């Protein structure tokens, strides 16, 4: 009988893509995808630890498998990713959820196949988290996001923003060889992928950890030398390294989407300093102004945080002012979460939960109002949507425009993977509804 896997992914696109690599490893060993955990022989949780609720979520869902494991002891449960890579996390997890068979980290994901073999030869749980390792082969990924393909250009982060756990669980920056990236992208376009999203914790510092012969804007230009029609996206940029050369590439390369994700985090210079972000609100807004000068109509999205230690009402108001000035088409908003081992976790002045709750509500309202305002301007316009999937609930096809807005439309045939012109009739939040023209 054929063996089946089920992978549960938490967190960012980096994790989504790494789950594709885990799937690839399992498929090479003859496994195929199961529709749910109940039908699987191996269930893998690829976890995140950026905020406490991401960890609680994973713990809850892994814990929920206890019954299934009891009724079917042959079921193999593995937990890996950022959460387990934290110091002492594997042992903590084993203590709380002793029925988990394998615990692995971010640095030894490439060895997942070997870990399966090793576990088969022992009864007790296999706790295997390493401090160093290497990346899995890029071509092993079993992709499930057509027409978009994720492509890592670098791993890790050197910035040590004081709230952030990422540098501790992902290690220092490692840039991939540009020729390998170019070959991967070319291969994906040959296969028919229509959108390539380059991934890195801070793509702007591509090629600064070692000499790879080109910087990030040069890499983008090289990718765009391929004359075919496709969309090129990238994430994430740190504002401190975001500069004119990159903006010019966005302006000049037709495949590069006019959408930049530029996490501001806060609008208060005092808080930005405590966060070790290395820019002021004014510098951030100057870069936004430059972007809009070179790339008229460029969409801007951001990450914003409330409740960083010592944040006052005055600091928070600066964030609201920044939102007003930057005109984000969308932004992810977060309540600061204390991550053990980071510098901010040891800071005095942790902000009470009720205050955080009140601020996040005001922030979400400010961002949503902006998103709505910008969406309303879309009514009557024709946008080019790259169709990604069918929304069964709505009975409509869906996809995104260049600026990242979700567009919905009806069609008789299956247009997934096609660029479709849609005339917008109605808008709701960041979504557009229209008809194919
Ligand atoms: N608490 C809350 N939000 C965080 N982020 C990173 N670390 C934390 C934390 N400890 C947010 C930042 C980052 C995004 C990916 O997650 O806004 O840009
Ligand atoms: Fe975390 Fe800052 Fe690195 Fe982003 S740039 S991953 S927020 S440390």
């Amino acid at each position: 009988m054929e063996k089946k896997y089920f992978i549960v992914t938490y967190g960012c696109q980096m994790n989504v893509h790494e789950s594709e690599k885990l799937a690839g490893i399992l498929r090479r060993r003859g496994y195929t995808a199961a529709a749910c955990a109940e039908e699987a022989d191996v269930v893998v949780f690829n976890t995140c630890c950026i905020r406490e609720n991401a960890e609680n979520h994973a713990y809850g869902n892994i814990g929920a498998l206890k019954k299934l494991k009891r009724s079917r002891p042959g079921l193999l449960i593995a937990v890996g990713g950022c959460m387990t890579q934290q110091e002492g996390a594997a042992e903590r997890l084993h203590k709380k959820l002793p029925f988990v068979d394998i615990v692995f980290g971010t640095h030894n994901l490439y060895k997942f196949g070997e870990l399966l073999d090793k576990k088969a030869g022992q009864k007790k749980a296999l706790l295997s988290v390493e401090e160093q390792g290497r990346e899995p082969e890029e071509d092993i990924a079993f992709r499930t996001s057509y027409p978009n393909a994720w492509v890592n250009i670098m791993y890790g982060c050197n910035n040590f923003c004081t709230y952030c756990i990422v540098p501790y669980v992902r290690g220092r920056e490692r840039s991939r060889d540009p020729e390998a990236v170019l070959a991967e992208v070319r291969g994906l376009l040959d296969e028919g992928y229509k959108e390539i999203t380059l991934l890195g914790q801070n793509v702007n510092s591509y090629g600064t950890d070692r000499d790879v012969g080109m910087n990030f804007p040069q890499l983008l230009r090289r990718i765009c030398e391929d004359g075919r029609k496709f969309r090129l996206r990238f994430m994430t940029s740190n504002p401190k390294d975001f500069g004119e050369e990159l903006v010019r590439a966005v302006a000049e390369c037709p495949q590069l989407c006019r959408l930049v994700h530029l996490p501001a985090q806060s609008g208060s210079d005092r808080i930005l300093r405590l966060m070790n972000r290395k820019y002021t609100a004014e510098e951030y807004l100057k870069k936004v102004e430059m972007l809009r000068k070179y790339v008229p109509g460029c969409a801007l999205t951001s990450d914003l945080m409330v409740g960083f230690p010592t944040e006052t009402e005055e600091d928070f108001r600066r964030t609201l002012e920044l939102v007003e000035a930057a005109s984000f088409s969308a932004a992810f908003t977060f309540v600061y979460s204390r991550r053990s081992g980071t510098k901010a976790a040891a800071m005095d002045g942790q902000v009470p939960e009720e205050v955080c709750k009140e601020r996040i509500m005001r922030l979400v309202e400010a961002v949503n109002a902006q998103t709505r305002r910008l969406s309303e301007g879309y009514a009557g316009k024709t946008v080019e949507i790259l169709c990604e999937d069918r929304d069964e609930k709505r009975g409509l096809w869906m996809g995104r425009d260049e600026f990242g807005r979700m567009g919905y439309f009806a069609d008789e045939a299956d247009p997934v993977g096609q660029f479709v012109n849609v005339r917008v009739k109605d808008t709701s939040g960041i979504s557009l509804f229209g008809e194919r023209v």
Side-chain angles (χ1 to χ4, degrees), residues 244-256:
E244 192 170 334
E245 197 185 346
L246 174 58
V247 169
R248 291 182 95 112
V250 177
E252 289 163 22
C253 300
Q255 298 100 326
L256 260 173

Side-chain angles (χ1 to χ4, degrees), residues 50-51 163-164 263 265 303 305 334-337 339:
I50 193 108
R51 282 169 291 276
Y163 50 81
C164 188
Q265 313 299 357
D303 293 345
M305 198 187 295
F334 306 107
V335 173
Y336 164 76
S337 168
R339 304 285 66 205

Side-chain angles (χ1 to χ4, degrees), residues 294-321:
Y294 280 103
V295 195
C298 189
L300 180 69
T301 57
S302 201
D303 293 345
L304 301 162
M305 198 187 295
V306 303
F308 185 84
T310 76
E311 185 188 69
T312 62
E313 171 66 20
E314 198 49 42
D315 293 315
F316 173 64
R317 288 214 185 118
R318 297 277 102 84
T319 302
L320 291 178
E321 283 166 20

Side-chain angles (χ1 to χ4, degrees), residues 374-384 421-425 432-435 437:
L374 291 172
S375 287
E376 280 158 13
Y378 267 81
K381 284 191 183 153
T382 298
V383 293
E384 187 183 54
N421 285 321
V422 172
R423 188 175 306 116
V424 179
K425 291 176 80 178
L432 313 171
F433 297 87
E435 55 190 20
V437 289

